[in-house]
Amino acid sequence: LNNFSPNWPGWNPDWEKRFASEYGHDVSAAKALLAEAGFGPAKPYTVTFLILPVAGLSAGGDISEAIAGYWRAAGAAVELTPMDPTTAGSLTRSLKLNNHSRLTATGSNIWTGTSTYSSGTKATRSGGIGIPAADAPLAEAVGTLDERKQDDYLRRAGNAWYDGHVEVPLFWLPAG
């Protein structure tokens, strides 16, 4: 959960305990999950990976290609598609990008990050996926000034994103 931190509201320490089993790199498990979903060598899962510049990450293209290699090793058919950020933003806002992934980065705080990158409630969002189980508590969080309630709502939204595997955290580059 890119926009959550142990020092911010909404953090769930259980995420750290479950991280290896939920997000760890396991090619055999990935192949089994794809097979369970009906994909395999005769019918590979296909996905488009957009290669575009990422602010503050000069090696973004190389990292994108490495990710595609990991997915191919698990049996996915990955199409690498170079794209400029303006086109990607326009296609995302108009909901014309389907079944795609891309490398992103943010230095934003929890509210800006979750509402921009993780919420599907706004047609103008710049990225993310709509998860109704997360959108409802996120809307509640913005509707209250009670910090304990905000913490609870943000944790509920974070649990939905975490359990739904909305983001794949690859690395954290702290500033300074």
Side-chain angles (χ1 to χ4, degrees):
L1 296 174
N2 190 43
N3 301 298
F4 283 77
S5 169
N7 301 322
W8 293 344
W11 181 255
N12 182 347
D14 186 52
W15 299 334
E16 291 176 293
K17 295 173 189 168
R18 297 188 298 140
F19 187 83
S21 65
E22 291 285 327
Y23 289 91
H25 181 69
D26 186 334
V27 175
S28 297
K31 287 180 178 183
L33 287 169
L34 286 171
E36 184 181 317
F39 297 103
K43 181 186 171 192
Y45 172 74
T46 61
V47 63
T48 300
F49 202 108
L50 304 181
I51 298 180
L52 53 147
V54 177
L57 188 58
S58 61
D62 294 336
I63 295 170
S64 297
E65 290 186 24
I67 295 166
Y70 295 144
W71 291 355
R72 286 180 179 131
V78 183
E79 177 185 333
L80 293 170
T81 304
M83 188 174 291
D84 67 90
T86 302
T87 301
S90 176
L91 292 172
T92 300
R93 283 188 299 277
S94 63
L95 305 177
K96 292 183 179 172
L97 284 175
N98 294 311
N99 197 32
H100 75 285
S101 190
R102 66 182 180 189
L103 189 63
T104 61
T106 180
S108 63
N109 65 27
I110 189 170
W111 175 248
T112 303
T114 55
S115 63
T116 302
Y117 298 107
S118 300
S119 173
T121 59
K122 298 178 181 177
T124 59
R125 71 187 187 278
S126 67
I129 184 170
I131 303 287
D135 291 341
L138 187 61
E140 293 288 344
V142 81
T144 182
L145 295 176
D146 183 320
E147 291 179 358
R148 287 186 309 169
K149 287 182 179 180
Q150 285 180 343
D151 181 65
D152 178 60
Y153 292 136
L154 289 169
R155 186 172 299 104
R156 287 176 35 209
N159 285 336
W161 291 318
Y162 185 94
D163 294 339
H165 302 95
V166 172
E167 297 175 345
V168 179
L170 297 174
F171 51 87
W172 177 269
L173 299 174

